[in-house]
Amino acid sequence: MNMRIALAGLGTTGAQVAEFLLEQAGISLVTAVVSKNSEKAGKDIGEILGGKSLGITAIGSENLSEAIRHYRPQVLIDFANPAFMREHIGLLAQAGVNLVIATTGHSTAEVERIKYYTQRHHIGTVLAPNITYGVNVLMELCKIAARLMGDYDFEIIESHHRHKKDAPSGTASRIAEKIAETIKATNDRMREFDIHSIRAGGIVGDHKVVICGPYDKIELRHEAFSRRAFAQGALWAAEFVAKHHGFHYMEDVFAKTLFGYKTDTCAHCGISLPEQRNMSLDYN
Ligand SMILES: NC(=O)c1ccc[n+]([C@@H]2O[C@H](COP(=O)([O-])OP(=O)(O)OC[C@H]3O[C@@H](n4cnc5c(N)ncnc54)[C@H](OP(=O)(O)O)[C@@H]3O)[C@@H](O)[C@H]2O)c1
């Protein structure tokens, strides 16, 4: 049985996520939610993406409640903006829709509210400012460095396209939190980090961590050069959250699936690494 997914946001990233989802076997993209006054509302998604009509309609967010009743999505992937979740989390949670929240720029209070509704209505939520596999591997490498090099200075430099609204990026903030937590746990020291943000041209996403001591330095860097990296991560998160209730971060998704390997088999679910990389999981 196909997993029914709704997408919020058909902007720069959302459009590529839609294209990616439409290519996947075992997935039905049932609708895409656009803003109330969007010229895309009521149009066919295939046509919005510049192709043939697919019989899948984009709906304005004012019709979300009706669309959920009609399309019954199991998961909604959010690439709209933080206001979308602020406005609709109650409705989505109450309707039992599991959530992959890839939007960035949520305040601490908003994250707490998302957790509250997740628990109250027993849905699954993945909060994923850091949605790509590569960035999650970068975070693991940063944690190793923080354990071994707690005395070094850590500086984070993130670069994105000139239209990105929030700074620093959600990913950079999450990397900083993880480094700080690891240094606190292993060296019992509190550390604050500078995050340097660059907004220029069409950069898709670039995160560099410079770890500098008096005599040497290490640089760890992840660069996304295709938004398909975000789409692949969103699909992994959707498949995870359809099966795991409660509130999760993206690193939990990888920790419980791909990073759980000791051999070529996942300690968590027993699926082989190559299979799991394709994430051809069964959602029945
Ligand atoms: N987690 C990650 O790794 C990752 C990666 C890339 C992007 N992001 C995040 O994803 C979000 C979108 O990024 P983007 O580059 O695609 O931005 P974008 O090009 O500005 O697209 C956002 C889209 O959201 C739509 N929108 C606005 N309000 C809405 C509402 N109330 N309901 C439904 N749709 C609404 C807008 O389209 P209409 O007005 O036509 O509806 C707009 O096209 C940002 O928060 C960004 O930081 C996260």
Side-chain angles (χ1 to χ4, degrees), residues 165-179:
K165 294 186 180 98
D166 54 319
S169 71
T171 295
S173 302
R174 196 79 191 129
I175 291 171
E177 270 172 41
K178 287 284 146 194
I179 295 170

Side-chain angles (χ1 to χ4, degrees), residues 80-260:
N81 63 17
F84 173 79
M85 203 46 71
R86 205 179 299 137
E87 213 173 308
H88 300 295
I89 176 77
L91 167 70
L92 290 162
Q94 199 170 7
V97 182
N98 301 301
L99 302 171
V100 174
I101 304 174
T103 42
T104 57
H106 297 277
S107 67
T108 308
E110 281 167 11
V111 173
E112 289 308 311
R113 200 160 159 264
I114 291 166
K115 286 183 186 169
Y116 167 79
Y117 278 109
T118 299
Q119 276 143 20
R120 178 169 170 189
H121 295 290
H122 309 290
I123 60 164
T125 296
V126 175
L127 186 65
N130 49 314
I131 206 156
T132 67
Y133 182 68
V135 149
N136 281 271
V137 172
L138 174 72
M139 280 188 0
E140 290 298 303
L141 296 172
C142 287
K143 286 196 288 186
I144 294 171
R147 258 200 307 278
L148 300 176
M149 306 172 92
D151 288 340
Y152 280 52
D153 293 326
F154 286 71
E155 297 283 316
I156 300 172
I157 303 154
E158 59 95 354
S159 310
H160 286 85
H161 55 91
R162 65 161 77 114
H163 301 295
K164 183 167 174 62
K165 294 186 180 98
D166 54 319
S169 71
T171 295
S173 302
R174 196 79 191 129
I175 291 171
E177 270 172 41
K178 287 284 146 194
I179 295 170
E181 277 171 26
T182 308
I183 291 177
K184 171 106 180 59
T186 48
N187 298 304
D188 198 23
R189 290 177 53 203
M190 298 294 284
R191 287 288 298 277
E192 292 205 346
F193 302 99
D194 286 330
I195 302 178
H196 311 274
S197 298
I198 294 167
R199 295 288 172 267
I203 301 168
V204 173
D206 192 326
H207 291 87
K208 185 159 85 168
V209 182
V210 180
I211 307 157
C212 205
Y215 312 116
D216 60 356
K217 79 169 176 182
I218 289 179
E219 291 186 2
L220 299 170
R221 179 175 180 189
H222 174 264
E223 181 185 0
F225 40 79
S226 165
R227 287 188 171 80
R228 289 204 144 220
F230 307 136
Q232 171 71 84
L235 179 57
W236 280 334
E239 294 185 326
F240 179 88
V241 86
K243 292 184 153 196
H244 297 81
H245 286 180
F247 181 87
H248 313 273
Y249 286 100
M250 195 64 196
E251 56 263 36
D252 302 328
V253 175
F254 288 117
K256 287 180 181 163
T257 55
L258 303 183
F259 296 164

Side-chain angles (χ1 to χ4, degrees), residues 11-13 33-35 38 40 79-81 84 102-104 128-129 131 164:
T12 321
T13 312
V33 190
V34 295
S35 63
S38 173
K40 296 171 195 153
F79 276 100
N81 63 17
F84 173 79
T103 42
T104 57
I131 206 156
K164 183 167 174 62

Side-chain angles (χ1 to χ4, degrees), residues 15-71:
Q16 295 218 11
V17 173
E19 276 178 9
F20 182 85
L21 293 175
L22 288 165
E23 291 165 11
Q24 305 304 312
I27 299 294
S28 294
L29 178 62
V30 293
T31 188
V33 190
V34 295
S35 63
K36 201 170 165 185
N37 301 315
S38 173
E39 56 184 28
K40 296 171 195 153
K43 291 192 178 155
D44 189 278
I45 292 178
E47 289 169 10
I48 294 170
L49 298 175
K52 289 188 296 195
S53 175
L54 299 170
I56 310 168
T57 311
I59 60 129
S61 57
E62 74 279 15
N63 297 319
L64 183 63
S65 175
E66 194 189 323
I68 287 170
R69 269 199 306 278
H70 184 68
Y71 296 115

